[in-house]
Structures are given as C-alpha cells and as structure tokens.
Amino acid sequence: MRALRSPKVLAGSVLLLLLLLLAVVGPWIAPHSADWQADRTSGLPLAPSGRFWLGTDQQQHDLFSRLLSGGRDTLLISFLAGLFACLLSVVVGVTAGFVGGLVDDLLSALANIFLALPGLLILMVIMKPLPPSETSNPLLIGSVIALTAWAWGARVLRAQTLALRAADYVEAARVIGERTWRIILFEVVPNLLPILASAFIFTVIYGIGTYTALAWLGVISPASVTWGTVLNEAQASGAAVNGYWWWYLPPALAVALVGIALALVNFGIDEVINPRLTSARTGRARGVVFRLGLTPVLKSAAPAPAAAPSNPVPLKEAQP
C-alpha cells in the first residue's frame, strides 16, 4: 500500500505503537501501584531522583508509576470514542447521501445541529450528574464523547456518497436488482475506507483531547488514575505556581505525543487519498489521479499541438 511507504505514516505509526505498548504493559512494569505512597506524613512533593524517576506528588505517589498506569484508560476511551463516532458517521452520512430526499434533509439537519453545539459543554452537562462509579467506566465515557464527535465525519461521508451513488458500478447493481443495504455495504462503503480511516484518526485525536480536558476540569472521577486526573491534581495543588514541573509536564507531554503520532498518520493518509496534496508535494501528478477507493484512473493525455503549415506564407518585406 502507498500509505505504508509515506514517511509521515511510518513515523507516526512507530511512535503510536510504542505508546500503545507502554499503555498496555504500563501497569505491569510500573515500579509501584498507582495508589502506592512513599510517605504518609510528608506533604511536600519530591523532585525526580534515582529512587523516583519523575518525583512524587503532594500525597507521595510515585508519578512515574501513575504515568505508566494512566495511559491505558486514556487511550482506551479515545479509541472507543473514535470507533463509536465512525459507526454513527457511516450510518448517518452514507444513508443521507445514498437515499436522498426527505431522509437526507432530516439527517443533514441533525448533523448541522450537532456541529453547532459546544461539545465540551454538552459533555460536562451530561456527565456531571453521573455517580463517580459511572464516570470511570471507559465504555460509557467513550460512548458519550462519540455523541459530540460524529457530525463532522457524517458531513464528509455524505458528500462523498453523493458522488459515488452515480458511479457505473452502483448503477449496474441497481439494474440487476441488488437491495439498497447490499449496495451500500458492498459497493459504496468499501470506496469510503480511506475517508473512514482519516475520520477515525481525527476522532481519536478529538477523543483524547476531550477526555483529558474533562478529567482536568474534575468531571471524571479522581479514583480513576489517568493522565487527565494527574493534571487535575497538579492544578488543584498549584504545581505550576510552585514550580513542581515534574508533576504536570510528563502527562501533558504524553497526551501531546499521542496527538502528534495520530496527526502524522492522518497527514500521510491525506497525501495518499488526495491527489492535489500528492502533486503539490512531488511537483508532478505521475500520470495517475486517485479517486476515493482503490481504483486508479489514468489522466487523459494532453492534445498534441497543431502542426505548422508545410508552406508558410512569406512575410512582406518592410517598405523603406
């Protein structure tokens, strides 16, 4: 695949796989548990040292252990939000674009409403009344975040479906009597896979940023140790004001690295599926224009210049 040969995709994928591996095995390789305390009497954070690589917080928790333990739920919720949002985008966007008519008008209006709503504020209103046990449930949090993240992908998929429903292979499927659901699943959706991949990555980036913001604002239960809850504890204790950089900087960098890795993969996919970006980067189109899907379309050859007449008419000599 051309996407795998992109330097951006390769760099982003390697970085993302490393972060995912650390998130999966982090709680097992951490020196201590997330709730372990070095000293229950001292309330002064300790700076990084040979014993505590990232220091301790005000409750004497080992911040390196909490950093390794907090990545699993953070990434799990982000990817669940991306998955649920993509499913909603496909159902709404592809249905609206393929069926058309009143269904298209209603679903497009619904997507426009969700695009106009302030997502973070809506999530705070929904999750604030929930009991603490529910705000630490990854499946529930991922589903709630997906409710505010599907509309953008639905708009993009609707626009692409409008272009694909007039394709020859879709018309042929209609003529031979294929059912609508089969045409959507086997003829339209496969040609939308590159767009779906880009929308999924974009939604995961949105999910990790939103979940971290919710935890930082105190909406997520502090009993769930994540990168966001560590940032919330650092803010509540005035770590930035007191110069305890080891308390808030590592989790913030971890969130930023995940976003950078996903963005690199997304940029690489965009360059593959968007011929304009490919031409701008390489300086030539290589004679092939890639449409949505996997089928390349050869660019038509430019018309040959008109041949000069064999007996050109001589110019009149200039008068003296």
Side-chain angles (χ1 to χ4, degrees):
M1 294 178 63
R2 296 178 65 236
L4 298 179
R5 296 196 297 267
S6 171
K8 295 179 182 178
V9 173
L10 288 175
S13 300
V14 170
L15 179 58
L16 183 60
L17 287 176
L18 290 176
L19 293 171
L20 288 175
L21 181 63
L22 285 177
V24 171
V25 304
W28 299 332
I29 65 175
H32 308 284
S33 65
D35 297 328
W36 179 84
Q37 292 177 277
D39 187 355
R40 297 179 182 273
T41 59
S42 175
L44 184 65
L46 300 178
S49 62
R51 181 185 179 190
F52 302 112
W53 291 2
L54 294 180
T56 65
D57 59 12
Q58 211 164 24
Q59 289 75 35
Q60 298 301 304
H61 295 129
D62 180 19
L63 290 176
F64 180 65
S65 299
R66 291 172 77 84
L67 179 70
L68 292 176
S69 302
R72 180 182 294 180
D73 284 351
T74 303
L75 295 181
L76 176 62
I77 290 170
S78 303
F79 278 89
L80 285 176
L83 178 62
F84 294 153
C86 275
L87 291 176
L88 287 173
S89 299
V90 170
V91 172
V92 176
V94 177
T95 302
F98 192 84
V99 176
L102 181 61
V103 174
D104 184 16
D105 294 338
L106 293 176
L107 293 179
S108 297
L110 181 64
N112 292 334
I113 291 173
F114 273 86
L115 281 173
L117 292 175
L120 186 60
L121 181 60
I122 297 299
L123 290 173
M124 293 179 63
V125 171
I126 294 175
M127 298 188 64
K128 193 64 176 177
L130 296 178
S133 59
E134 296 296 332
T135 58
S136 59
N137 185 345
L139 187 62
L140 175 64
I141 300 173
S143 303
V144 174
I145 293 177
L147 289 177
T148 62
W150 63 269
W152 176 85
R155 286 288 300 273
V156 175
L157 292 174
R158 173 188 174 273
Q160 299 301 330
T161 304
L162 287 173
L164 288 175
R165 71 177 183 180
D168 294 340
Y169 54 88
V170 175
E171 292 295 336
R174 285 199 187 99
V175 170
I176 64 176
E178 294 289 353
R179 296 182 178 181
T180 301
W181 66 267
R182 189 187 183 284
I183 297 175
I184 293 176
L185 289 180
F186 294 98
E187 304 294 343
V188 176
V189 172
N191 287 282
L192 296 174
L193 288 180
I195 301 296
L196 279 173
S198 180
F200 172 75
I201 294 173
F202 178 82
T203 310
V204 173
I205 296 175
Y206 170 83
I208 190 172
T210 303
Y211 177 68
T212 304
L214 290 173
W216 178 65
L217 293 172
V219 178
I220 305 300
S221 173
S224 177
V225 178
T226 65
W227 294 337
T229 54
V230 173
L231 289 173
N232 173 262
E233 294 169 357
Q235 179 200 24
S237 301
V241 177
N242 295 317
Y244 303 143
W245 57 267
W246 59 88
W247 194 346
Y248 61 85
L249 193 57
L253 286 177
V255 174
L257 285 176
V258 175
I260 291 172
L262 291 169
L264 286 174
V265 175
N266 197 20
F267 292 156
I269 293 176
D270 283 343
E271 288 184 353
V272 173
I273 66 177
N274 192 337
R276 294 181 180 178
L277 293 179
T278 304
S279 301
R281 179 171 56 86
T282 61
R284 53 181 178 175
R286 298 182 184 272
V288 178
V289 176
F290 286 90
R291 69 177 185 182
L292 296 177
L294 303 177
T295 305
V297 179
L298 292 179
K299 189 168 64 173
S300 59
S310 57
N311 296 319
V313 179
L315 296 176
K316 294 183 180 180
E317 295 182 358
Q319 297 296 330

